[in-house]
Amino acid sequence: MESLGDLLQQMQNPSFRQRTRNVADQVLNDPLVQEFCAAHPDVDETQLRLNMSMLFQYARDRRNCDNCPGLEQCPNDFQGHFCKLGVEYPNGTAEIVDIRTPCAKLVASQHEQRVRQRIKSFYVDERALLEGYNALEIARKDSQRMPAVTQLFRYIEETKSQGLSKKGLYLEGTFGTGKTFLMGYLLHELALSGLNGVIVYMPDFVEDLKSMIQDGQKLKETTEMLKNCDLLVFDDIGAENLSPWVRDHVMGSILNYRMNRKPTFYTSNYSLQGLEKHLSFTSKDGEEMYKGQRLMDRIRPFVDVITVKGKNQRG
């Protein structure tokens, strides 16, 4: 490492001083710096030369941003930020100040992260929630499901303009028509408006609930979350292996609390009539029609049914 004396000696060298002046002239003649000077004629040359490194950083960051390689490959010193110059007058004299400013890509990324934090999922394939959503692509993907997509879009727009409804949606249809994907889109779009949501894959969730019998605190926290979230989606309801306890005490409690308060959404391969038959049967007690009807009284009046037609996208 060079000693301070050696460094000071170099600075006294005429050639070193000349190189420094050349670099300073190059920065001052940079078109971006010239543009800044033209916008702030009250900044004198002394102030410019005192802040040479700041001017250099400003010009470099601007060029990096003009040729942005993406947020992950941001070449600026402070990732996702650029040097923005301003002028202040603390003693009546113009002084240059450096304002570290987040770029549009970072702002968008942070916003998207906040949106995703409003959506919790239980056992649902994250790809259905994390991939980008494009309304035009969703509408074009399969013309057979266009009526269903139109109804879903209408529900989203009405919720954004009129507020949270007490009624949810029941998406029925065959395998692979994109019901879960459409519910993911609904959650994402309404999360942009500040609403929070939970989506639950019923077959795995029901099995996990059975194990929670031994953990009362976890069960309470889980059911409270499902009762109180703005938007609740039961995905693939009808595919689970129900026990009387899950049906009557957990599902019944959640739906009894939410009805007339907040909307609940469903995707299923069953119609409402078929779902009632499913809910009437448990592996332990066999068929109990009145208990299935009791749960359906908390579902049927509180949903609009949308039939999702189309090709099996999983194939």
Side-chain angles (χ1 to χ4, degrees), residues 20-252:
T20 303
R21 284 194 292 269
N22 291 342
V23 170
D25 291 342
Q26 187 177 352
V27 170
L28 291 173
N29 289 319
D30 187 293
L32 293 172
V33 175
Q34 289 285 309
E35 182 183 301
F36 172 79
C37 293
H40 301 280
D42 44 349
V43 177
D44 60 27
E45 186 172 349
T46 301
Q47 181 66 205
L48 291 171
R49 291 192 177 274
L50 282 172
N51 292 281
M52 200 58 61
S53 61
M54 196 184 296
L55 296 171
F56 173 80
Q57 182 104 33
Y58 164 74
R60 190 186 67 171
D61 284 4
R62 277 281 302 272
R63 287 192 172 84
N64 286 340
C65 290
D66 290 342
N67 300 283
C68 178
L71 188 59
E72 295 300 320
Q73 289 80 39
C74 176
N76 290 348
D77 293 342
F78 191 9
Q79 189 181 48
H81 294 73
F82 61 91
C83 174
K84 182 179 180 180
L85 297 184
V87 176
E88 294 181 353
Y89 301 84
N91 299 307
T93 305
E95 291 186 8
I96 302 172
V97 293
D98 170 11
I99 307 166
R100 287 291 168 173
T101 307
C103 70
K105 285 185 172 62
L106 178 62
V107 171
S109 175
Q110 290 173 337
H111 177 65
E112 183 66 21
Q113 189 175 11
R114 287 193 295 272
V115 167
R116 288 176 177 172
Q117 286 172 347
R118 296 189 190 117
I119 303 172
K120 292 183 171 59
S121 66
F122 288 84
Y123 319 105
V124 175
D125 186 347
E126 290 294 321
R127 290 173 298 178
L129 302 175
L130 297 181
E131 61 181 289
Y133 293 107
N134 183 295
L136 193 58
E137 283 184 19
I138 291 172
R140 287 177 173 176
K141 193 162 189 176
D142 190 336
S143 60
Q144 292 182 62
R145 73 178 188 185
M146 192 58 203
V149 170
T150 301
Q151 286 178 265
L152 185 83
F153 284 1
R154 186 183 304 123
Y155 184 94
I156 292 169
E157 290 309 311
E158 287 176 355
T159 302
K160 287 180 177 180
S161 62
Q162 300 172 22
L164 202 59
S165 168
K166 295 175 183 177
K167 250 188 164 183
L169 300 174
Y170 186 91
L171 269 58
E172 62 175 23
T174 55
F175 299 99
T177 51
K179 299 184 294 297
T180 301
F181 179 83
L182 291 176
M183 279 301 172
Y185 175 76
L186 177 141
L187 289 177
H188 183 271
E189 285 298 299
L190 295 181
L192 290 171
S193 301
L195 298 175
N196 61 69
V198 179
I199 182 168
V200 175
Y201 180 61
M202 284 299 289
D204 289 347
F205 180 63
V206 165
E207 292 306 311
D208 201 30
L209 280 175
K210 295 173 185 177
S211 69
M212 287 186 202
I213 296 176
Q214 308 301 324
D215 190 344
Q217 185 60 32
K218 183 178 180 184
L219 177 63
K220 181 180 179 181
E221 290 173 357
T222 302
T223 55
E224 286 301 310
M225 181 196 304
L226 300 189
K227 285 178 180 179
N228 292 293
C229 62
D230 296 326
L231 312 159
L232 173 61
V233 180
F234 286 125
D235 183 43
D236 209 5
I237 191 170
E240 69 282 343
N241 181 19
L242 276 178
S243 71
W245 175 74
V246 169
R247 178 191 62 194
D248 302 333
H249 298 286
V250 181
M251 291 286 294

